[in-house]
């Protein structure tokens, strides 16, 4: 398989904001969705990866590590503790994957619609470079999706792992851990590991937090006894029975405690029969409860969102950017002829008329060539003009080829 080279998707992602500080102790970064595409310049490929994930603890999106050469320093990946989408590791030549602190993969998006963790084709065809060990020693939870580990010629130990312990719902998942296919011998797990490990040393044993639990536990546990069940809001295991002892949260992390729901932003006051603002309310932001939405996010009801859903618009209230229902129709600014996406268009015609649907403001001109508009387009045009409320475009031109010079310009304001 040859890596696809696509510069475009990378360029568009470079525009995303990088790392956002959630609180003093938590930094969040946006993931990527490039699949196997990579930059043709491998130096740039590595530097982009590093820029994205250096000091990042929570990846809100997918973590994609592809086309990285064998001698690169990947130690910056140690900061990552959570990935909300999928983890893809493919077409690389490095020996060791240092995602040592990765605790949970949520699988809110899946690779190829099935894998939350996909690790494949990590070796150089003609040579001895390739992935030999997965450093995923803290990975104890995959909330949704399957695991695919295959075609890694030199990979050892991955087939000793009990993936069913990691996956929340193994019956609904797809497991496919293909043993390596080469003559190189793999070492043994350390004798304290009971034949399940990520690597040869004593601190690389797989820690089981589900299959070993007492039947009474409805999730994970920190020991085999009935009294050693984790709190039901925990994901990935725990160090004790409380909701503050979890390694990761199933639903939301409210200042260190795992909760089903963030504290509501408004509460009912039975004395006044009214909903009132809750001073202790918080907004949901990914799997966190936050007092304030991060920069670039807008409050929609009680969550932080990237953009308001229609039919709502962004307004600023008491210094907080909030989504409010539009009173009449939602304002929508569109490019006119000669600007933005219609830079090279000459007139409004059937090829571009759809770009004007629901516009309330046109930044640029609207130019119609009368003969260019027939039947269907004419009907659409009439509809959209009658629906426009605010006309702030520069000039409306109607060009008719029947005038003496062949063309006549009529400029008008509505
Ligand atoms: C893994 O999780 C444990 C808690 O179980 C924590 O003490 C440790 O620092 C984490 N990271 C590594 C690299 O083991
Ligand atoms: C498992 O993978 C196969 C293809 O390999 C696919 O047809 C099937 O739908 C998958 N099942 C689930 C539950 O994702
Ligand atoms: C494994 O190796 C054998 C012989 O070297 C080869 O025929 C086969 O295609 C390989 N399988 C995979 C999955 O690479
Ligand atoms: C919850 O978030 C805090 C930072 O806000 C972090 O220090 C803590 O480890 C997180 N707890 C869990 C269980 O994820
Ligand atoms: C135009 O607005 C209507 C009503 O708000 C909405 O249903 C429709 O999806 C919008 N169309 C486009 C292309 O934005």
């Amino acid at each position: 398989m040859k890596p696809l080279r696509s510069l475009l998707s990378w360029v568009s992602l470079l525009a995303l904001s990088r790392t956002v500080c959630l609180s003093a102790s938590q930094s969040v970064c946006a993931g990527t969705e490039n699949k196997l595409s990579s930059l043709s310049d491998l130096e740039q490929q590595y530097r982009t990866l590093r820029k994205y994930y250096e000091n990042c603890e929570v990846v809100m999106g997918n973590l994609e590590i592809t086309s990285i050469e064998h001698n690169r320093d990947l130690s910056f990946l140690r900061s990552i503790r959570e990935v909300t989408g999928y983890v893809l590791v493919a077409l690389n030549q490095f020996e060791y994957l240092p995602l040592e602190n990765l605790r949970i993969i949520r699988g809110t998006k899946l690779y190829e619609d099935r894998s939350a963790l996909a690790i494949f084709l990590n070796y150089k065809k003609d040579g001895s470079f390739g992935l030999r060990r997965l450093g995923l020693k803290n990975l104890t939870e995959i909330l949704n999706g399957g695991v695919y580990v295959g075609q890694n010629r030199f990979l050892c130990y991955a087939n000793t792992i009990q993936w069913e312990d990691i996956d929340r719902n193994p019956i609904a998942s797809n497991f496919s851990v293909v043993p390596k296919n080469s003559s190189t011998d793999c070492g043994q797990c350390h004798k304290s590991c009971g034949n399940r490990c990520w690597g040869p040393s004593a601190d690389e044993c797989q820690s089981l937090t589900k299959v070993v639990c007492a039947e009474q536990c409805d999730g994970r546990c920190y020991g085999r006894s009935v009294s050693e069940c984790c709190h039901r809001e925990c994901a990935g295991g725990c160090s004790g029975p409380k909701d503050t002892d979890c390694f990761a949260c199933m639903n939301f992390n409210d200042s260190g405690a795992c909760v089903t729901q963030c504290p509501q932003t408004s509460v009912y006051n039975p004395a006044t029969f009214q909903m009132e603002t809750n001073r202790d309310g918080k907004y949901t932001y990914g799997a966190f409860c936050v007092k304030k939405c991060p920069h670039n996010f807008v409050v929609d009801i009680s969550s932080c969102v990237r953009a308001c859903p229609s039919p709502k618009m962004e307004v600023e209230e008491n210094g907080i950017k909030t989504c409010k229902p539009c009173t009449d129709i939602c304002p929508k600014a569109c490019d006119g002829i000669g600007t933005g996406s219609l830079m090279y268009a000459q007139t409004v015609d059937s090829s571009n008329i759809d770009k004007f649907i629901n516009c309330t403001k046109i930044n640029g001109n609207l130019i119609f060539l009368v003969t260019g508009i027939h039947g269907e387009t004419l009907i659409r045009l009439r509809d959209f003009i009658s629906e426009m409320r605010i006309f702030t475009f520069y000039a409306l031109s109607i060009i008719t080829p029947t005038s003496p010079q062949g063309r006549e310009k009529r400029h008008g304001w509505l």
Side-chain angles (χ1 to χ4, degrees):
M1 198 190 293
K2 263 204 181 140
L4 297 162
R5 309 261 177 219
S6 137
L7 184 62
L8 259 177
S9 58
W10 280 93
V11 170
S12 64
L13 283 159
L14 290 177
L16 281 175
S17 64
R18 254 174 225 109
T19 313
V20 178
C21 255
L22 185 59
S23 72
S25 57
Q26 194 89 35
S27 61
V28 172
C29 56
T32 57
E33 205 159 348
N34 295 320
K35 313 262 168 63
L36 300 180
S37 320
S38 64
L39 296 168
S40 52
D41 178 352
L42 294 182
E43 171 69 31
Q44 196 59 37
Q45 174 80 0
Y46 167 74
R47 276 197 275 146
T48 309
L49 184 75
R50 187 169 184 138
K51 196 151 53 172
Y52 259 80
Y53 298 111
E54 199 148 44
N55 300 319
C56 177
E57 292 177 48
V58 178
V59 180
M60 292 261 186
N62 313 311
L63 172 58
E64 297 176 314
I65 303 168
T66 59
S67 303
I68 301 293
E69 295 154 297
H70 82 280
N71 53 354
R72 298 294 186 183
D73 174 13
L74 293 173
S75 57
F76 61 90
L77 293 173
R78 288 202 174 92
S79 62
I80 298 174
R81 295 197 292 107
E82 272 195 49
V83 174
T84 65
Y86 62 75
V87 175
L88 170 68
V89 181
L91 308 168
N92 300 292
Q93 292 169 26
F94 52 79
E95 281 189 8
Y96 180 65
L97 177 67
L99 284 169
E100 290 160 13
N101 287 302
L102 178 63
R103 176 62 78 180
I104 178 170
I105 302 172
R106 294 188 186 273
T108 54
K109 279 199 181 149
L110 300 178
Y111 182 70
E112 309 263 82
D113 292 327
R114 45 176 188 268
S115 303
L117 177 63
I119 303 176
F120 56 88
L121 286 171
N122 293 290
Y123 65 92
K124 193 167 179 214
K125 276 221 164 63
D126 43 357
S128 56
F129 296 133
L131 186 63
R132 288 168 191 272
R133 264 182 325 123
L134 302 176
L136 299 165
K137 56 188 180 181
N138 264 6
L139 180 66
T140 48
E141 186 85 72
I142 293 175
L143 285 180
N144 177 46
V147 173
Y148 173 65
V149 182
Q151 301 168 75
N152 301 292
R153 192 194 287 182
F154 306 110
L155 185 61
C156 288
Y157 306 104
N159 50 352
T160 72
I161 293 298
Q162 189 164 10
W163 295 96
E164 291 81 355
D165 190 77
I166 298 173
D167 213 293
R168 173 72 43 171
N169 190 359
I171 297 158
S173 304
N174 257 325
F175 285 100
S176 179
V177 179
V178 183
K180 70 180 186 72
N181 192 14
S182 82
S183 54
T184 11
D185 274 330
C186 285
Q188 298 274 308
C189 289
H190 189 270
K191 56 182 185 304
S192 64
C193 291
N195 294 327
R196 298 198 183 280
C197 66
W198 300 99
S201 46
D203 69 343
E204 288 175 300
C205 300
Q206 179 185 14
S207 51
L208 299 175
T209 61
K210 188 169 78 182
V211 295
V212 295
C213 300
E215 254 175 57
Q216 288 82 352
C217 300
D218 56 5
R220 300 195 174 261
C221 60
Y222 58 101
R224 290 170 185 263
S225 119
V226 185
S227 60
E228 291 171 310
C229 297
C230 292
H231 191 275
R232 55 182 313 161
E233 282 298 322
C234 291
C238 60
S239 57
K242 296 196 296 290
D243 62 358
T244 49
D245 296 328
C246 306
F247 289 155
C249 295
M250 262 293 257
N251 294 296
F252 303 102
N253 176 343
D254 182 11
S255 318
C258 295
V259 296
T260 319
Q261 215 179 28
C262 294
Q264 302 281 294
T265 49
S266 53
V267 285
Y268 185 67
N269 180 338
T272 61
F273 302 98
Q274 273 179 340
M275 293 299 285
E276 288 175 0
T277 305
N278 179 10
R279 287 168 166 281
D280 302 321
K282 287 188 184 172
Y283 305 111
T284 58
Y285 170 59
F288 293 90
C289 304
V290 293
K291 211 61 206 161
K292 248 175 70 183
C293 289
H295 180 65
N296 281 337
F297 281 77
V298 195
V299 175
D300 184 27
I301 310 175
S302 56
S303 314
C304 306
V305 298
R306 278 191 201 279
C308 294
S310 102
K312 288 188 187 177
M313 61 189 276
E314 188 180 319
V315 293
E316 193 151 333
E317 261 182 1
N318 309 325
I320 300 169
K321 285 185 286 177
T322 310
C323 298
K324 283 271 156 177
C326 304
T327 42
D328 190 358
I329 49 169
C330 289
K332 180 180 170 192
C334 302
D335 294 328
I337 300 298
T339 52
S341 63
L342 295 176
M343 178 66 91
Y344 301 107
Q346 305 281 314
T347 58
V348 177
D349 56 32
S350 57
S351 74
N352 56 33
I353 191 150
D354 287 343
K355 298 205 172 196
F356 295 96
I357 295 171
N358 293 348
C359 301
T360 58
K361 182 178 175 182
I362 310 287
N363 294 317
N365 302 313
L366 273 184
I367 301 171
F368 301 104
L369 177 62
V370 171
T371 53
I373 300 169
H374 323 269
E376 177 85 358
T377 315
L378 187 59
I379 295 164
R380 310 277 302 279
L381 177 61
R382 222 172 35 213
D383 286 351
F384 113 81
I385 288 205
S386 67
E387 275 169 20
M388 277 178 101
R389 312 288 166 96
I390 315 161
F391 283 89
T392 46
F393 51 84
Y394 308 152
L396 173 69
S397 310
I398 297 175
I399 305 166
T400 55
T402 50
S403 53
Q405 304 89 345
R407 293 190 147 207
E408 176 198 333
K409 278 195 180 186
R410 269 185 287 171
H411 294 274
W413 296 90
L414 292 170

